[in-house]
Amino acid sequence: MEPLIPEEASRHRPELNDLALELATASAELTASLPAAVRAPLAGLVRSMNCYYSNLIEGHDTHPIDIERAMRQDFSADPVKRNLQIEAVAHIEVQKWIDEGGLIGHPLEPDTLREIHRRFCDGLPEALLMQKGPDGEEVRIVPGTFREGYAKVGQHVPPSPGAVPRMLAHMHRMYRMQGRIGSVLATACAHHRLVWVHPFTDMNGRVSRMVAHAMLRDTVKSEGLWSASRGLARSVEDYQARLAAADAKRPGGADGRGALSEARLAEFARFFLRSCIDQVSFMSSLMRPADLRGRIIDWAQREEMRGNVIKGSDRVLRAILMEGEVERGAIPDMLGVSDRQARKVTARLLELEALASDSPKAPFRLHFPATLSSAWMPNLFPER
């Protein structure tokens, strides 16, 4: 499985190091530009983004609006759609666990990989745990267990099941040894090598993208504010082709010093890092404070004209965007209305999920629902 990363003397390293530094800088700047009151609800929406795009890569299309319905236990009557909604909920719960500090060890630690796989698969309906084996027989995925049989993915035949634990231990050890810039590059390289090892009977792609998400939180302080999976899904054919190309054997002595091609691994890492940089740039453009505030206030004013929200909604949203949160008792004076009328204004905004609150007496804060994303953050998801 070597090389795990292009070595320092490699002709590929200067460009890859520059891309890694650009990603780390851009991600840190995005995080610093957003107030905490915006970061928290945005991270919740990005979980739906990651879930939607990661599953889309696997051919499972569950729109974020349907994902959010499933989070409220509002499932489709269609059993196929219902199963995909349950799958999406399981995916989001694992990512939420990662985002809230659930990982104790390094994301590539073998025990951590098993725990991510176990948590994801434990939430799946039985129908999604049954897969066709290499000989066409039905094989049940065992949550949190490395595969015990051989596999074939396209033209790639992953290592024998007996080699999987040794290879994962070697990956974990070597990728943890990288410095600040090397660890960013290692995130890209580890994504391919983890897919190449194919440690589980199934769900390897989604687990590998969850691992990449966790590593990016550590290496570039992404805070879950942008989605690598969105970038990969937007160029899914290129993504899959570059994953396959990086499986290639080393053609000669000029291509690194391992058994696999260093040049093909470098090409994949370059693609992965550029996809991430593109997504940071996209989210930065959407989240410019003045532009975001303008889109949200424009939405409130349009909806008021249509009779979908109550007069004063734009002022409530403006105050929350400026201050982060607003106490319930401050709203009547802000709007110059009675307590009862103020409650009508905020009740409608809560119903539309434009606002959120931790309890009936807690302050109001902003919320980013998928149902409003086309108006508030255009092009985040495909239109329904």
Side-chain angles (χ1 to χ4, degrees):
M1 66 188 307
E2 293 284 356
L4 289 179
I5 190 170
E7 59 186 25
E8 287 288 351
S10 168
R11 62 187 175 88
H12 304 290
R13 275 304 282 263
E15 181 188 8
L16 292 173
N17 286 346
D18 286 347
L19 289 170
L21 179 59
E22 182 181 352
L23 174 58
T25 302
S27 183
E29 288 176 350
L30 172 61
T31 301
S33 71
L34 300 177
V38 170
R39 289 201 300 268
L42 179 61
L45 181 61
V46 170
R47 289 190 197 108
S48 291
M49 284 175 60
N50 268 333
C51 172
Y52 169 67
Y53 285 110
S54 186
N55 285 320
L56 190 64
I57 290 169
E58 305 298 328
H60 294 183
D61 187 352
T62 308
H63 195 277
I65 290 176
D66 294 318
I67 293 172
E68 290 188 352
R69 286 175 177 161
M71 295 296 291
R72 299 191 298 269
Q73 301 299 304
D74 179 8
F75 294 102
S76 171
D78 182 303
V80 174
K81 291 181 179 179
R82 178 186 176 87
N83 282 347
L84 294 181
Q85 282 182 300
I86 295 172
E87 175 188 61
V89 171
H91 189 289
I92 287 177
E93 289 298 329
V94 175
Q95 190 174 311
K96 187 172 186 287
W97 170 72
I98 291 171
D99 289 346
E100 293 178 351
L103 295 185
I104 298 174
H106 187 275
L108 286 170
E109 195 171 307
D111 285 346
T112 302
L113 295 174
R114 282 194 289 262
E115 181 65 5
I116 291 172
H117 186 268
R118 183 191 68 76
R119 284 175 175 267
F120 180 41
C121 291
D122 276 348
L124 298 181
E126 190 67 22
L128 295 184
L129 292 175
M130 301 303 298
Q131 300 292 328
K132 290 285 186 182
D135 300 324
E137 77 281 12
E138 284 280 310
V139 176
R140 187 182 188 277
I141 302 166
V142 181
T145 302
F146 295 141
R147 61 181 167 86
E148 297 179 351
Y150 287 84
K152 185 175 182 181
V153 185
Q155 299 301 310
H156 174 53
V157 178
S160 67
V164 167
R166 297 194 302 273
M167 288 186 160
L168 294 178
H170 181 59
M171 284 176 59
H172 173 230
R173 181 169 60 252
M174 296 301 292
Y175 284 129
R176 287 196 70 177
M177 293 172 58
Q178 305 301 316
R180 179 172 178 266
I181 297 302
S183 66
V184 181
L185 175 55
T187 301
C189 295
H191 183 61
H192 174 268
R193 292 307 195 238
L194 187 55
V195 172
W196 183 85
V197 172
H198 195 81
F200 303 104
T201 302
D202 197 26
M203 310 298 174
N204 291 280
R206 276 165 286 195
V207 168
S208 298
R209 287 186 288 275
M210 289 180 195
V211 169
H213 173 83
M215 292 181 73
L216 288 167
R217 288 184 63 87
D218 291 339
T219 58
V220 301
K221 309 303 179 190
S222 68
E223 300 291 333
L225 299 177
W226 51 273
S227 170
S229 290
R230 182 180 185 275
L232 301 176
R234 282 170 59 80
S235 305
V236 66
E237 291 182 1
D238 202 7
Y239 168 52
Q240 292 169 340
R242 290 180 185 276
L243 276 173
D247 295 343
K249 301 291 185 183
R250 181 175 64 138
D255 189 12
R257 294 192 290 181
L260 302 181
S261 169
E262 181 183 77
R264 301 289 84 79
L265 177 63
E267 287 176 4
F268 176 79
R270 190 179 299 115
F271 167 78
F272 184 94
L273 293 172
R274 284 175 174 166
S275 295
C276 289
I277 291 168
D278 178 66
Q279 291 309 300
V280 176
S281 176
F282 170 69
M283 290 303 293
S284 296
S285 68
L286 281 184
M287 302 307 292
R288 290 190 187 103
D291 293 344
L292 176 65
R293 186 163 55 247
R295 287 194 299 272
I296 293 176
I297 299 306
D298 286 348
W299 167 84
Q301 291 172 346
R302 287 196 307 272
E303 293 302 298
E304 182 184 324
M305 291 177 63
R306 294 169 179 162
N308 292 332
V309 299
I310 299 171
K311 184 177 180 181
S313 297
D314 58 336
R315 281 181 282 166
V316 172
L317 288 168
R318 188 189 302 276
I320 292 174
L321 284 162
M322 296 295 292
E323 300 173 22
E325 61 179 32
V326 169
E327 296 288 342
R328 292 169 182 259
I331 293 176
D333 286 342
M334 178 197 306
L335 301 181
V337 299
S338 66
D339 290 352
R340 182 180 179 185
Q341 183 64 19
R343 285 195 296 272
K344 288 182 179 179
V345 173
T346 54
R348 179 55 179 159
L349 291 174
L350 286 168
E351 183 182 357
L352 293 172
E353 297 184 276
L355 297 184
S357 181
D358 293 330
S359 74
K361 294 185 178 181
F364 293 112
R365 63 180 188 278
L366 197 63
H367 186 50
F368 289 109
T371 48
L372 299 181
S373 63
S374 61
W376 290 15
M377 290 176 286
N379 301 317
L380 202 61
F381 307 121
E383 293 291 336
R384 285 291 296 266

